[in-house]
Amino acid sequence: MGLLSTTQILSYLARALVMLIVIPVHEAAHAFVSAKLGDTTAKDAGRLTLNPLAHFDPIGALCMIVAGFGWAKPVGVNPARFKNPKAGMALSAAAGPVSNLLLAFVATIVYKLVLFFYPALPGGIFSDLLYLFTLYMVLMNVSLAVFNLIPLPPLDGSRMLLVFLPRRLYFKVMQYERYIFFAMAALLLLGVFDRPLALVNNWVLNLLLKLTGFVDLLLRAASGVSV
C-alpha cells in the first residue's frame, strides 16, 4: 500500500491546478488596478501577466497545495504615483481578494453543474479530478480572499488600512512590517486564526451558495423536479 491514496493524490493535483489559476489572477489584478490608477511599478516588474512563474513563491505555493492556502511574491507598489495615495493603496490592495471572490462565484456555478451531472459522467480518475478541481476552485479562492483581508502586513488588508489611519501613522506602522509578519506567522502556526478564518470562510461560502441559487432552480426545472 502506498503512502498516499488515489483520492489524496488527486486532491493535491487538483489544488496544484487551481493554484495555477488563482495566484496569477490575484496578483495580476493588483498590477492591473495599480496601473490604471497611475502606479506602473508592478506592471514594469512584469507582474501584469497570468504567467504563474512571474508570481510564485516556492514555499507559499507548496503551502497552497498542501494546506489549501498560501502566498505569492509581493507586488510592488509606490503610493506616491497614485493621484490619491489612500484610495490608490486601498483599491489596488482590494483588487486581489475581489478577483478571487469573483472567481469563486463563477466556480460555484460550475461546481453545481458538475455536481448535478456527476452521476452521468463516465467515472474514473478524470471525473473525480474534475469534481475536485471545481470544488477547490471555490474553496481556495474563498480562502485566499479571506486570508488576504487580514489587516496585518504584508497581506492586502494591511494596505487597505491606509483609508482608516492617518498616512503618517500608517507608514510608521509599516516600518515594523517584517516583525509583524513573523508574529502573524507564529500565530498562524499556533492556530490562533483557525476558528475566525473558518467562520468567515463558511459565511462567504454560504453567501455564494445563496447568490447562485438560480442555478439550483434552473437545474431542478430542467430535470422536471417541482420547485
Side-chain angles (χ1 to χ4, degrees), residues 68-91:
F69 70 90
W71 57 89
K73 291 188 295 186
V75 171
V77 60
N78 184 352
R81 290 187 173 186
F82 293 129
K83 294 180 181 178
N84 185 325
K86 279 193 173 184
M89 286 284 285
L91 291 174

Side-chain angles (χ1 to χ4, degrees), residues 139 142 146 195-209:
L139 297 179
V142 169
V146 171
R195 182 166 176 76
L197 287 175
L199 290 173
V200 178
N201 282 341
N202 288 334
W203 182 85
V204 175
L205 289 170
N206 287 328
L207 179 61
L208 288 172
L209 291 175

Side-chain angles (χ1 to χ4, degrees), residues 154-203:
L155 302 177
D156 298 327
S158 66
R159 293 184 178 180
M160 297 168 68
L161 278 179
L162 185 56
V163 173
F164 307 101
L165 294 178
R167 187 177 179 183
R168 183 177 179 181
L169 176 60
Y170 173 83
F171 285 108
K172 188 174 183 62
V173 172
M174 288 302 107
Q175 291 177 0
Y176 302 97
E177 178 176 346
R178 184 180 182 86
Y179 304 103
I180 296 174
F181 169 73
F182 285 124
M184 182 191 70
L187 292 175
L188 282 170
L189 290 174
L190 292 172
V192 174
F193 292 120
D194 287 356
R195 182 166 176 76
L197 287 175
L199 290 173
V200 178
N201 282 341
N202 288 334
W203 182 85

Side-chain angles (χ1 to χ4, degrees), residues 4 6 14 41 50 74 84 99 101 111-112 130 143 150 155 163 170 179 191 194:
L4 295 175
T6 301
T41 302
L50 294 179
N84 185 325
S99 70
L101 291 175
Y111 170 74
K112 287 185 174 183
L130 177 62
S143 177
I150 296 176
L155 302 177
V163 173
Y170 173 83
Y179 304 103
D194 287 356

Side-chain angles (χ1 to χ4, degrees), residues 4 7-23 56-71 136 140 143-144:
L4 295 175
T7 300
Q8 289 174 315
I9 293 173
L10 288 177
S11 294
Y12 289 136
L13 178 57
R15 287 181 179 180
L17 293 173
V18 169
M19 180 184 62
L20 293 174
I21 299 173
V22 299
I23 286 183
F56 278 175
D57 174 277
I59 298 178
L62 181 62
C63 286
M64 181 159 282
I65 294 174
V66 175
F69 70 90
W71 57 89
Y136 283 124
M140 290 172 66
S143 177
L144 189 62

Side-chain angles (χ1 to χ4, degrees), residues 9-15 17-18 114 118 124-136:
I9 293 173
L10 288 177
S11 294
Y12 289 136
L13 178 57
R15 287 181 179 180
L17 293 173
V18 169
V114 169
Y118 187 79
I125 290 178
F126 176 78
S127 298
D128 293 341
L129 182 60
L130 177 62
Y131 167 78
L132 289 171
F133 175 78
T134 55
L135 174 63
Y136 283 124

